[in-house]
Amino acid sequence: MANPLYRKHIISIPDFSREELELVVETAGKLKRTPRNDLLQGKLVGSCFFEPSTRTRLSFETAVQRLGGDIIGFADGGNTSAKKGETLADSIKIISSYADAVVMRHPKEGAARLASEFSSVPVINGGDGSNQHPTQTLLDLFTIRETQGTLENLTIAFVGDLKYGRTVHSLTQALSLFGARFYFVAPEQLAMPDYICEELDEKGIEYTIVDSLDDVIPLVDIMYMTRVQRERFDETEFKKIQGQFVLRADMLKSARTNMKVLHPLPRVDEITVDVDATPHAYYFEQAKNGVFARQALLSLVLNETV
Amino acid sequence: MQYTRTVEALKQGTVIDHIPAGQGVNILRLFKLAETGERITVGLNLSSRHMGAKDIIKVENVALTEEQANELALFAPKATVNVIDNFEVVKKHKLELPESIEGIFACPNSNCISHAEPVKSHFFVKAQAKDIKMKCKYCEKVFSKDIVAVVR
């Protein structure tokens, strides 16, 4: 029987069942332990970045090539027919007639969903505006499972910009399928949006809104840090909140031994460099895991069985 | 007291009655009723025993479908929609919120891909507490009904 993600579009985390998330995470683990170079042999993947991205694009392209597949595509929408006014619908109809799957990033929200309606091959969302970035969530889940041995009943703190951070929203939705407990640590102006809190309420998931980073450090298994963007505040406001959401090595003394610090990167100054040397730092390994999570996803979408 | 009809009886078509006063014109425009080319009678700010003031729309020769009637529920949840044939009411639609609504409203998110592409807008509708929430199928943003259901 074909795996449940075979030939499926990968657009948004709420589309996934718990079993499908587990399948990707397990497959990523297998591919990390035992690398394969044959799973995409003879497959051609379209890599369509209508908006530039370094990490996501490079890790997708690494994933495809390491699995023996080939890539066509572009790294910047500025050089494509989109610039001439072609609709995304038309572009995708054509690209999907060339490739076996299309990985895409686009500056507009909903672009991947729309593309999936016009594509003859699976579309994998590599980020659509401020909406979804499902492969980031998959690599986060893989990293959490790798460090904690399970996804069940974990306690997670999200810190920083919880309002605009799409990775935070998707990861919250995904972890709530596994009975997580959340702490949200953010300046008032960047608090978790109501619709996410309402979803958690509906599911009966416990969450606490906290204003001090120190208070949550001893309580959590995962500390998920995000960047507070300077441009969202005026200068004095920014100075006032800046120090409150910075993690330094000396603050980690009270942390559980299994506690890991994650960050979708790039970090600026919200995690000081001295944290890198502590056993809690895991963000660079997390970024490396992006390749395995994307390998897992591509393998499952393009092969009946892996 | 003698009862006089303020709007002429309809031989065949649809009567949308008990529309909250002020919503009649919105409904006409959003549902593009005038574009049917049929004769339409509109009553605005008519007196109503239950509502105080109401609007009413009569469209000749057009029988509103169940789906269309349900879309009306967003603006006028207490409206009555009666399909008339030969001066008789042949169907009374009971309005229920539709699960989704297509092609009527534009997505309020200006960065939503649906605006510049050959697709109809599409919202999933969900009643939540006292509000009705609408989630765009494309950008996945959730809006309160009052933000989406305006004439643009």
Side-chain angles (χ1 to χ4, degrees), chain A residues 6 23 44 46 108 114 227 241 268 270-271 303:
Chain A
Y6 180 55
L23 177 64
L44 183 60
K108 290 202 182 270
L114 181 128
R227 185 162 46 101
I241 59 147
V268 183
E270 59 279 6
I271 302 177
N303 293 284

Side-chain angles (χ1 to χ4, degrees), chain A residues 247 261-265 267 271-278 280-288:
Chain A
L247 186 66
V261 180
L262 304 186
H263 191 303
L265 306 183
R267 76 162 155 188
I271 302 177
T272 56
V273 194
D274 58 1
V275 176
D276 298 1
T278 70
H280 301 289
Y282 211 76
Y283 25 90
F284 295 120
E285 192 66 19
Q286 178 191 5
K288 181 174 145 191

Side-chain angles (χ1 to χ4, degrees), chain B residues 23-126:
Chain B
Q23 293 286 6
V25 174
N26 284 348
I27 289 173
L28 266 182
R29 287 172 63 176
L30 279 168
F31 291 83
K32 300 189 170 67
L33 293 173
E35 290 171 23
T36 59
E38 296 293 344
R39 186 157 73 159
I40 296 174
T41 321
V42 182
L44 302 178
N45 301 322
L46 307 186
S47 63
S48 156
R49 242 173 305 166
H50 298 296
M51 304 174 65
K54 67 172 186 180
D55 293 350
I56 186 169
I57 299 172
K58 299 189 176 196
V59 193
E60 274 185 36
N61 300 320
V62 173
L64 235 57
T65 63
E66 193 86 43
E67 199 188 350
Q68 289 169 313
N70 285 341
E71 287 169 352
L72 279 174
L74 283 172
F75 304 88
K78 291 187 177 144
T80 48
V81 179
N82 293 339
V83 180
I84 312 286
D85 189 20
N86 203 20
F87 298 107
E88 299 276 332
V89 175
V90 292
K91 180 149 184 63
K92 272 182 181 291
H93 285 298
K94 193 173 175 297
L95 300 195
E96 276 174 29
L97 268 187
E99 280 182 13
S100 65
I101 185 161
E102 237 184 289
I104 304 230
F105 313 110
C107 181
N109 171 12
S110 59
N111 201 42
C112 175
I113 192 78
S114 63
H115 295 296
E117 295 283 330
V119 290
K120 286 182 180 171
S121 71
H122 190 131
F123 293 92
F124 301 108
V125 181
K126 195 171 144 199

Side-chain angles (χ1 to χ4, degrees), chain A residues 12 87-89 106-111 113-114 117-118 130-132 198 202, chain B residues 109-114 116-119 126 128 133 137-142:
Chain A
S12 177
T87 61
L88 176 61
H106 196 282
K108 290 202 182 270
E109 287 97 50
R113 179 82 64 196
L114 181 128
E117 293 175 353
F118 292 90
S130 68
N131 183 34
Q132 282 272 327
E198 282 163 13
E202 272 174 36
Chain B
N109 171 12
S110 59
N111 201 42
C112 175
I113 192 78
S114 63
E117 295 283 330
V119 290
K126 195 171 144 199
Q128 196 176 58
K133 299 273 190 193
K137 175 173 92 168
Y138 293 102
C139 72
E140 302 186 35
K141 298 251 180 300
V142 179

Side-chain angles (χ1 to χ4, degrees), chain A residues 43-278:
Chain A
K43 306 282 189 201
L44 183 60
V45 175
S47 168
C48 303
F49 281 71
F50 294 90
E51 178 183 67
S53 145
T54 324
R55 224 177 336 271
T56 306
R57 184 173 63 83
L58 290 182
S59 82
F60 260 119
E61 297 190 0
T62 305
V64 172
Q65 303 213 22
R66 292 251 185 237
L67 290 170
D70 289 308
I71 294 261
I72 53 165
F74 48 89
D76 180 351
N79 300 323
T80 68
S81 48
K83 194 83 183 171
K84 298 176 190 157
E86 185 177 51
T87 61
L88 176 61
D90 281 2
S91 303
I92 289 295
K93 261 187 221 165
I94 295 154
I95 297 165
S96 72
S97 73
Y98 301 155
D100 298 302
V102 174
V103 172
M104 63 176 283
R105 168 168 289 196
H106 196 282
K108 290 202 182 270
E109 287 97 50
R113 179 82 64 196
L114 181 128
S116 73
E117 293 175 353
F118 292 90
S119 171
S120 53
V121 298
V123 171
I124 297 176
N125 187 3
D128 60 322
S130 68
N131 183 34
Q132 282 272 327
H133 189 8
T135 59
Q136 176 71 45
T137 306
L138 294 170
L139 80 89
D140 290 342
L141 287 176
F142 171 47
T143 305
I144 292 170
R145 226 279 296 261
E146 183 179 61
T147 61
Q148 307 298 322
T150 178
L151 289 171
E152 303 280 345
N153 304 319
L154 295 170
T155 305
I156 295 110
F158 287 101
V159 184
D161 180 352
L162 310 189
K163 184 173 180 189
Y164 300 100
R166 60 184 174 187
T167 59
V168 165
H169 305 159
S170 309
L171 186 57
T172 307
Q173 289 169 325
L175 284 168
S176 66
L177 297 175
F178 297 91
R181 197 202 182 299
F182 298 111
Y183 289 96
F184 299 143
V185 192
E188 208 182 321
Q189 303 91 321
L190 297 177
M192 196 61 119
D194 288 345
Y195 84 95
I196 295 278
C197 293
E198 282 163 13
E199 277 178 25
L200 294 175
D201 287 337
E202 272 174 36
K203 291 182 192 154
I205 303 283
E206 253 188 88
Y207 62 90
T208 314
I209 294 163
V210 194
D211 48 19
S212 153
L213 191 49
D214 283 305
D215 292 350
V216 298
I217 289 172
L219 306 175
V220 301
D221 302 307
I222 294 287
M223 177 82 85
Y224 198 99
M225 303 291 296
T226 62
R227 185 162 46 101
V228 173
Q229 293 182 40
R230 188 179 283 263
E231 57 269 27
R232 305 225 187 267
F233 295 90
D234 68 43
E235 203 51 35
T236 31
E237 240 186 340
F238 184 75
K239 284 214 172 94
K240 209 160 49 182
I241 59 147
Q242 192 181 19
Q244 288 174 39
F245 303 95
V246 173
L247 186 66
R248 297 181 311 272
D250 62 327
M251 297 161 74
L252 288 165
K253 284 186 193 119
S254 62
R256 296 175 178 174
T257 49
N258 66 312
M259 192 272 253
K260 296 291 179 210
V261 180
L262 304 186
H263 191 303
L265 306 183
R267 76 162 155 188
V268 183
D269 43 18
E270 59 279 6
I271 302 177
T272 56
V273 194
D274 58 1
V275 176
D276 298 1
T278 70

